[in-house]
Amino acid sequence: MDAKPSSSPDNPAARLLAWYDRHARDLPWRSKPGETPDPYRVWLSEVMLQQTTVAAVAPRFTAWVERWPDVASLAAAPDEDIMAAWAGLGYYARARNLVKAARAVVAEHGGRFPATEAALRDLPGLGAYTAAAVAAIAFGERAVVVDANVERVVARLFAIDTPLPAARPAIRAATDRITPDARAGDFAQAMMDLGSAICTVKKPQCLLCPLAVDCDARAQGIAETLPAKAPKKKRPYRHGTVFWIEQEGRVWLVRRPDKGMLGGMRALPTGPWSDERPGLAEAPGKGPWTMLNETVVHGFTHFELELALARSEGRPEDAAAGEWWPVADLGTAGLPTLFARAADLLKRT
């Protein structure tokens, strides 16, 4: 499909924006009609939404902005509080970059987000997508915004059948051709809403779609097959052991190294994560240790991890390397999901 000029009344962008004006989702980070978007809320929501659903993010976003309502308050917050508040949202490098970016906005930009896509790219953790989304939605700059929903809509609209990820340059170029000069932020959000509600992964509701007349994949009867994806490689499997040391109603927690998986987060101690079951290797104390019959399995992006569970009432070998935390208040420690699940099992034994 060849995109029509943005000034044409038959332009897909015009039809999509008319649909969006009637059907836009009411989301806690979106400005109401006539309101000026808050760059802080736009940026925060886009970071939170990466690899996470709207349903999961909405209550967490609301709680977050009640605690840290602007970029200055976030920049001044202790790292450990921010990391604990992020627990359960995954991809913890995002939280570390969130702190760095907030502090850069305050220190280098007087507490105001830069208003261009190029300048936003200079902030820590703002890649091509996030910088484009903030520039378009918060500042009205024409920017090409392509997330997974937009990727799916555009692949179908132009019948781009090259498998992902090889198709991404063509999808971005096609998105560029139909992105309007005016209301680029609304257009980006409209594409996201369309992909979420109408142009869904399975059983797209083409009869309700404002772009159905433009859609090459629908015309060819292949909409549900796009975007095509290259076969997934099987993720390797790793093993580890998580250690629970409990005394007088308190459990021993450590803070993981800033660099690496789940960096900077409070966690239960673990030994190495390896191809073979490590047993009690690198246990944080002499025990004696009791091994549970249950395990916890967690999927990371590049591997699956199975953790055996061991508990003891001994002493940690290095008392300076961690902290005692009340078992009854463990929910306030901000443990990553993996360790929270392990703790739930270990508390009951």
Side-chain angles (χ1 to χ4, degrees):
M1 182 192 74
D2 293 327
K4 297 179 176 66
S6 59
S7 59
S8 168
D10 293 327
N11 175 36
R15 277 192 291 278
L16 182 63
L17 287 167
W19 173 85
Y20 179 72
D21 289 340
R22 297 190 302 272
H23 300 290
R25 288 180 290 180
D26 183 11
L27 300 173
W29 46 85
R30 279 189 181 168
S31 58
K32 306 295 183 185
E35 292 180 349
T36 301
D38 181 350
Y40 171 70
R41 295 170 73 94
V42 174
W43 163 69
L44 177 63
S45 68
E46 290 299 338
V47 175
M48 283 188 166
L49 284 165
Q50 292 169 24
Q51 306 295 325
T52 314
T53 65
V54 167
V57 165
R60 301 292 298 275
F61 176 89
T62 300
W64 188 287
V65 294
E66 286 177 355
R67 186 172 184 181
W68 298 299
D70 51 38
V71 71
S73 58
L74 182 61
D79 289 16
E80 56 269 25
D81 290 352
I82 295 170
M83 297 304 290
W86 192 267
L89 288 170
Y91 294 89
Y92 293 95
R94 289 182 296 159
R96 293 193 293 274
N97 283 328
L98 200 73
V99 179
K100 293 176 183 177
R103 291 171 183 165
V105 169
V106 170
E108 300 169 18
H109 299 278
R112 300 174 66 88
F113 279 85
T116 67
E117 182 179 2
L120 287 162
R121 283 292 301 271
D122 290 335
L123 295 175
L126 270 75
Y129 166 75
T130 306
V134 175
I137 298 169
F139 298 108
E141 179 177 307
R142 186 191 183 279
V144 181
V145 183
V146 184
D147 71 350
N149 279 318
V150 177
E151 201 169 66
R152 183 168 58 257
V153 171
V154 173
R156 291 171 176 174
L157 196 60
F158 290 86
I160 298 170
D161 57 5
T162 303
L164 294 172
R168 288 192 172 124
I171 290 173
R172 190 186 189 286
T175 308
D176 191 4
R177 294 203 297 275
I178 61 171
T179 297
D181 293 331
R183 297 188 67 186
D186 285 346
F187 176 79
Q189 292 177 106
M191 292 285 275
M192 297 172 194
D193 283 8
L194 188 71
S196 174
I198 303 294
C199 195
T200 48
V201 175
K202 296 181 179 178
K203 298 182 179 178
Q205 301 179 66
C206 298
L207 293 178
L208 300 178
C209 180
L211 302 184
V213 67
D214 306 289
C215 185
D216 289 347
R218 177 177 180 267
Q220 297 174 32
I222 59 171
E224 197 167 352
T225 69
L226 298 179
K229 295 182 180 179
K232 284 187 177 181
K233 295 181 180 179
K234 187 175 181 180
R235 289 184 292 185
Y237 212 80
R238 296 183 185 173
H239 303 271
T241 304
V242 63
F243 298 99
W244 177 279
I245 304 176
E246 182 177 345
Q247 288 193 354
E248 300 176 351
R250 299 175 303 160
V251 63
W252 185 248
L253 300 181
V254 297
R255 192 172 296 280
R256 294 184 62 81
D258 287 337
K259 293 184 179 180
M261 302 298 297
L262 309 177
M265 302 295 293
R266 285 194 190 99
L268 296 168
T270 71
W273 296 355
S274 56
D275 294 338
E276 304 295 331
R277 291 181 172 84
L280 298 176
E282 299 183 20
K286 295 181 179 179
W289 295 100
T290 300
M291 299 293 295
L292 275 63
N293 290 326
E294 297 182 81
T295 63
V296 172
V297 177
H298 187 80
F300 290 99
T301 305
H302 300 298
F303 65 93
E304 295 275 343
L305 176 67
E306 180 183 42
L307 287 179
L309 308 176
R311 60 176 298 129
S312 170
E313 295 180 359
R315 303 285 303 178
E317 288 182 346
D318 184 359
E323 58 187 320
W324 291 106
W325 199 278
V327 174
D329 294 331
L330 200 54
T332 65
L335 298 181
T337 301
L338 165 65
F339 291 102
R341 290 170 54 207
D344 285 342
L345 291 172
L346 286 155
K347 282 191 298 186
R348 297 199 295 265
T349 59

